[in-house]
Amino acid sequence: MNVILIGMPGAGKSTIGVLLAKTLGKSFTDTDLIIQQAAGMKLADILAAFGTERFKEIEEAALLSVKETDAVIATGGSAVFCERGMEKLKTDGVIVYLDVPLRELEKRLTGIKTRGVVMREGETLAQLAEERAPYYERYADIRITETGDAESTVGAVVKALAALKTG
């Protein structure tokens, strides 16, 4: 069974994903890296060259290309806008929403423009979070509100996964 991590940019999906994969003895896949490798460019460069709509098409293709069956998969923050890709991932595993308070995201995302984040011109991080939250909640099987360090977040995910199996 796959464990799929969703959440805002800066939520720690890649960082938590690697640690979670080690803890669970699973492989790790990052769909942002799939996108970069397929395009031969960084996410920010893809967005600059092709725009957000084309980026979403590329992201959807990356999500649909995931073939793993026993992995931890970190998705990009905008993956939840790719309905077919998210439905495929949902059938392949458990989706965990890493929910990070806005204040913490603002601390973590000092270089948001260089990260390759799908957002409209002039849009604030608060507006982006407000727009995306219903999508994250829609797809999530488990919601983890991050309040501590990476290790405690991994522990919370492991505990929630165990509860899901026994429940």
Side-chain angles (χ1 to χ4, degrees), residues 70-91:
D70 192 34
V72 174
I73 301 165
T75 63
S78 57
V80 291
F81 295 122
C82 304
E83 189 172 351
R84 288 185 317 129
M86 287 302 300
E87 291 300 331
K88 181 219 180 284
L89 292 177
K90 195 161 181 73
T91 62

Side-chain angles (χ1 to χ4, degrees), residues 67-123:
K67 302 291 185 237
E68 285 81 353
T69 57
D70 192 34
V72 174
I73 301 165
T75 63
S78 57
V80 291
F81 295 122
C82 304
E83 189 172 351
R84 288 185 317 129
M86 287 302 300
E87 291 300 331
K88 181 219 180 284
L89 292 177
K90 195 161 181 73
T91 62
D92 292 347
V94 175
I95 298 183
V96 178
Y97 169 25
L98 298 179
D99 186 12
V100 178
L102 182 60
R103 267 194 201 153
E104 181 62 25
L105 286 176
E106 289 171 340
K107 281 190 235 172
R108 294 181 187 183
L109 292 173
T110 54
I112 195 165
K113 295 296 180 197
T114 60
R115 284 184 68 123
V117 175
V118 175
M119 54 193 306
R120 290 182 286 285
E121 188 68 35
E123 187 173 31

Side-chain angles (χ1 to χ4, degrees), residues 140-155:
D141 297 305
I142 296 170
R143 179 180 181 169
I144 302 293
T145 302
E146 288 189 61
T147 55
D149 60 12
E151 290 294 331
S152 62
T153 300
V154 169

Side-chain angles (χ1 to χ4, degrees), residues 1-14:
M1 170 192 69
N2 289 333
V3 178
I4 300 98
L5 303 178
I6 63 172
M8 283 288 290
K13 298 175 298 289
S14 297

Side-chain angles (χ1 to χ4, degrees), residues 21-55:
K22 288 180 180 180
T23 301
L24 298 175
K26 295 179 180 284
S27 63
F28 175 72
T29 298
D30 188 321
T31 62
D32 279 349
L33 295 179
I34 293 172
I35 293 167
Q36 287 183 169
Q37 289 168 347
M41 337 169 53
K42 294 185 293 186
L43 298 177
D45 295 338
I46 297 168
L47 279 164
F50 301 109
T52 57
E53 289 309 309
R54 179 68 184 124
F55 181 88

